[in-house]
Amino acid sequence: MNEPAPEHRRVAAVAPGLASLLGYRARWLGRDVTAGLVLTALLVPQGMAYAELAGLPAITGLYTSILCLVGYAVFGPSRVLVLGPDSSLGPLIAATILPLAGADGDPARAIALASALALITGAVMIIAGLTGLGFVADLISRPAMIGYLNGLALTIMVGQLPKLFGFSVDAEGFFGDVAGFVTGLGSTVPAALAIGALGLVLIVVLQRYLPKLPAVLVVVVLSIGATALLGLAARGVDVVGPLPQGFPPLSLPDVRLSDLLLLVPGALGIAVVSLTDTISTASSFAAREGRTIDGGREMTAIGAANVGAGLFGGFPVSTSGSRTAVAAQAGARTQLTGLVGAAAITLILLFVPGLLRDLPQPTLAAVVIAASLSLTDLPATRRLFRVRRAEFVLSMTAAIGVVLLGVLPGMAVTVALSAANVFRRAWWPYRTVLGRAPGLPGFHDVHSHPHAERLPGCLLLRFDAPLFFANARTFREWIDELVHVDPDVRWVVIAAEPVTDVDTTAAEMLRELTAAFERRGRRLVFAELKDPVRRTVERAGLTGAVDATHLFPTIDAAVAAFRDLTGASWRSPDRAVGPAEDRTDG
């Protein structure tokens, strides 16, 4: 295999997508062009629908699709990943820009705010990619994200129902949307409901039973044909109308500094969701080819795509798993697929802007509702309920937070809940008594092995977390309780392999506990203490209290030393495991 030229390596370091295209092979062209045209059929209606979901004119969805495809084709490391307007970002964008756009809902101001939001989001993601801050996406646990997306899907569906029924409501919040929809049912346009509901059913059915067929394209073509043939516009069905011809110029959005500051929280929320989507989607498709991803480069590329969209009247974008799957199924080999899609959309805007003028608004609502259904993961929610109730509660709380508080506060709640869950596990970790199970080597949890043998006068304990300020008191109270139950205990042996750290608060607690034990003729012993933790203990000045006689390399060594000292023998337990001896986590 030939080594790439130095020039090629330099290009790849800055723009991996462009470097890949420079090494393009002619035999890939047919598949890439076909996949690009298939992708266009999905990008156009979804881009328009998600733009309206974000509270923006439909045309901005097409501008955004073009620029993000070009941006990722140049800077993206993945050969098949597809970017574009996304249903999960639409409500976040709307929640950020619409309060700033004013009561009159000036479209030009909304577009300027959305473009500024894309630029800020892009800057955040580029910085995250270059500095390794992408770990922020890990702040959202999977159960919390499942709940967030379930709540988001519900709010999207409720918000789109009026459009599906042919009327509009002016309300704020989930319950305002519900009340407005119920109140407005008397204004339902039968033709609008018919075309929208049939479109929704057809999308769901085709996606379920004919997944290789472009369901959205089929529904869009049929609905446009029905509108023209049946004169649905004359029957009260709102249609998209002719799109503006041409392409917006390169420009910076005209917004005030005060607006920029108010856009930052929304940009951070969008960046976190987009990063989470991108890493999971990119990893999934890379794994199919036996490759790994470069998270930093992916984030930088998504950031560049957002900047590109923001400079041409677009709004924030993210990776799309469904569109990436469509491109892959259609045979896409490189990012030329995205460039073909961008070129096709550009040609539509330049030469046939009236192509979609008869597209019914209820059909766009059906596209968005179908997308929101794909956001939900009810099987995963049921698994959480069966496997771990604490994480099920966390997931449901995240969903309720989105519904009750709104999308942006719900995003903050989701991140907070994920962080709180990590802290909870460290605060109240799993801890247990160990014993010797006949026929099994080593020492085992007496909760799982209630008939495990105990060593009289010696408590073997395991605490599955680092010792730090939040759980130091819990640790001491747990040991004090066990010793109170069995006052004949002489040694307490801590199986310290899971204890990955000891902070100064915990070190002081250990000093006090060791001194208290010594006064009563007891000893606190550590086995399997990691070298870095041992050095921390030494730096904390505990070596005077916890000296070499309190430290053993293995549990076996500690047990052997105790037996040599006391002559104790293993015996079966006299009673079952009590609540003080074991506590499970969630």
Side-chain angles (χ1 to χ4, degrees), residues 254-271:
D254 182 17
V255 294
R256 297 185 293 267
L257 177 61
S258 58
D259 290 331
L260 292 177
L261 296 176
L262 293 173
L263 292 174
V264 170
L268 293 175
I270 291 169

Side-chain angles (χ1 to χ4, degrees), residues 34-104:
T34 301
L37 295 176
V38 171
L39 190 61
T40 302
L42 190 64
L43 288 167
V44 171
Q46 285 191 341
M48 297 170 68
Y50 298 159
E52 296 199 343
L53 177 62
L56 298 163
I59 186 65
T60 59
L62 302 186
Y63 299 154
T64 301
S65 298
I66 294 169
L67 271 302
C68 71
L69 290 172
V70 173
Y72 191 83
V74 173
F75 295 100
S78 171
R79 292 188 296 176
V80 296
L81 213 60
V82 177
L83 270 64
D86 191 71
S87 57
S88 64
L89 298 188
L92 279 168
I93 297 168
T96 304
I97 67 171
L98 293 186
L100 301 178
D104 56 354

